[in-house]
Amino acid sequence: MKAVIIGGGISGTVTAMALRRAGIDASVYEAYPSGGEDAGVFLTIMHNGMDALRAIGAEGPVVENSFAAVGLELVTPDGRTVERRSYDVDGLAGPRTLTRAALYRALQEEAISRGIAFVPGKRLVSASPGVTARFEDGSVAEGDILIGADGLRSVVRNVIDPACPPPRSTGLDVVYGYTTDTSVPQAPSVYRMIQSLHAFFGYTSAPDGSTYWFARLPAAEGVRTGLSAAEWRSAAFAAFDGEPLPAAEIIQSTGDDVFGGHSYDVPSTPVWSTASMVLVGDAAHAASPAAGQGASMALEDSVVLAKCLRDLPDAPTAFAAYERLRRARVEKLVASSAALSSRTASDEGRNWLYRHHIEWDETITV
C-alpha cells in the first residue's frame, strides 16, 4: 500500500512516520514552500500527545526543542491565585512547550531522516479515487490511499464531502507572543492563566527566562483583519492596560515576535472518509485553543490510523475502525474547548473556568 499525505504539519508528518512503522510507504505533500509566517506562535504537547510520539519513537526531537511545565495556576482579575494543579502523570515530565515552527522543523527533519519523501510547494486542487492528487503547479501524485492532513481549511475534507459544513467562528481573536526580556514577571515552567475583566491571558517562562504568552480577545469574525505584528501587539495590550495584572507589562516587552488571527473550530465533520480517502487532525476536528489539545489529538489520530491500516484487511475497514475509535473523543474535546472559550470570554463565565477547567492530558494507550 502507498499513501499520499496532503499536509506537512503535525498530523501529516507524524502520520507518515506512523505508517512507516506499520510497513506502509507514505509521501508527504506540503502546500507551503517554507514556514516562518507565524512568528511567536507556540503550542503545547500534552501527555497523551507525547505518548503518541513515543509509540513511534519520535518523542526525542520534540523533547530536545521544548521545555516541560510542572503545573498550572488560575488567577482572578484581582490577582488572586485560586487554583494550582500539578502535572504529574505516571512520573512523566510534561506537557512540552515549543514554537510551532520548531515543532514542524523537528518533525519534518525526523521524517526525512527515516526516508520519508517530503515535497514542499504542492498545493492540492483536486483528488480522485485511485488515488490521483492534482496540485496547483500541474503536477500529480498517485497512490492507493490519500490522507487529508491539510488543516482547518482542508481541501481534502471538501473533496470527500462537498456539502461539509465550513469552519465555525469561536468569537475570539487569539494573539501569541514571545519575549526574551527577563525583567518581566516570570512563570517558570508553569502555565499561569489569568481571566481579566475583558479578556483571557496565559503565559509560561522557559528555563532561559524567555516568556511565551497568548491573549484571547472576544471579537466577531472580520473585526481585525490584515493587522501587522505591531497592531496585534497593540490590540492585546489595550485589552489589559490598567489592570492589576502582569499581562500588559509582558505584552509591552515583546518585539515583533507576535502573531494574531481569528479562531475557528470544526465541531463535527459528517463524513471522515471514502473507500480511499480519510481525514486526520484539524482537517477532521479542529478545536479552539482553549483546552490546549489540538496538537495532541492530531498526534493520537496519526498513530491510531496507522494501527488500523496495519491490523485490518483493507483501507475501508481500517478507516471505519479509526473513525469509531476517534470520533466521540475528539468531538467531545472540540465541544468542551468551545464551551471553555465562550465562558471565559464573558464576565458571568469566570467562575465556570475555575470549577470546570477540562483536563484532557491523561495518559492513554496508543
Side-chain angles (χ1 to χ4, degrees), residues 96-117:
R96 312 292 308 191
T97 298
L98 71 170
T99 66
R100 188 160 66 189
L103 178 61
Y104 282 16
R105 182 174 61 253
L107 292 177
Q108 290 168 6
E109 289 177 354
E110 179 67 17
I112 292 169
S113 75
R114 297 182 183 199
I116 293 168

Side-chain angles (χ1 to χ4, degrees), residues 113-189:
S113 75
R114 297 182 183 199
I116 293 168
F118 189 94
V119 189
K122 297 295 181 180
R123 184 174 297 278
L124 184 74
V125 293
S126 67
S128 56
V131 167
T132 300
R134 294 177 174 83
F135 301 104
E136 195 173 62
D137 63 3
S139 62
V140 300
E142 296 182 341
D144 301 298
I145 59 172
L146 184 142
I147 299 172
D150 49 343
L152 177 72
R153 305 289 179 182
S154 172
V155 174
V156 179
R157 184 170 63 232
N158 285 277
V159 170
I160 289 174
D161 179 15
C164 68
R168 177 182 66 178
S169 168
T170 64
L172 295 170
D173 287 341
V174 182
V175 187
Y176 298 89
Y178 167 82
T179 177
T180 57
D181 185 348
T182 58
S183 68
V184 301
Q186 300 269 301
S189 299

Side-chain angles (χ1 to χ4, degrees), residues 60-86:
V62 174
V63 171
E64 290 170 7
N65 287 276
S66 64
F67 61 94
V70 297
L72 174 120
E73 298 177 353
L74 299 176
V75 182
T76 59
D78 60 4
R80 290 181 300 114
T81 299
V82 295
E83 182 179 340
R84 287 186 174 90
R85 186 179 57 207
S86 174

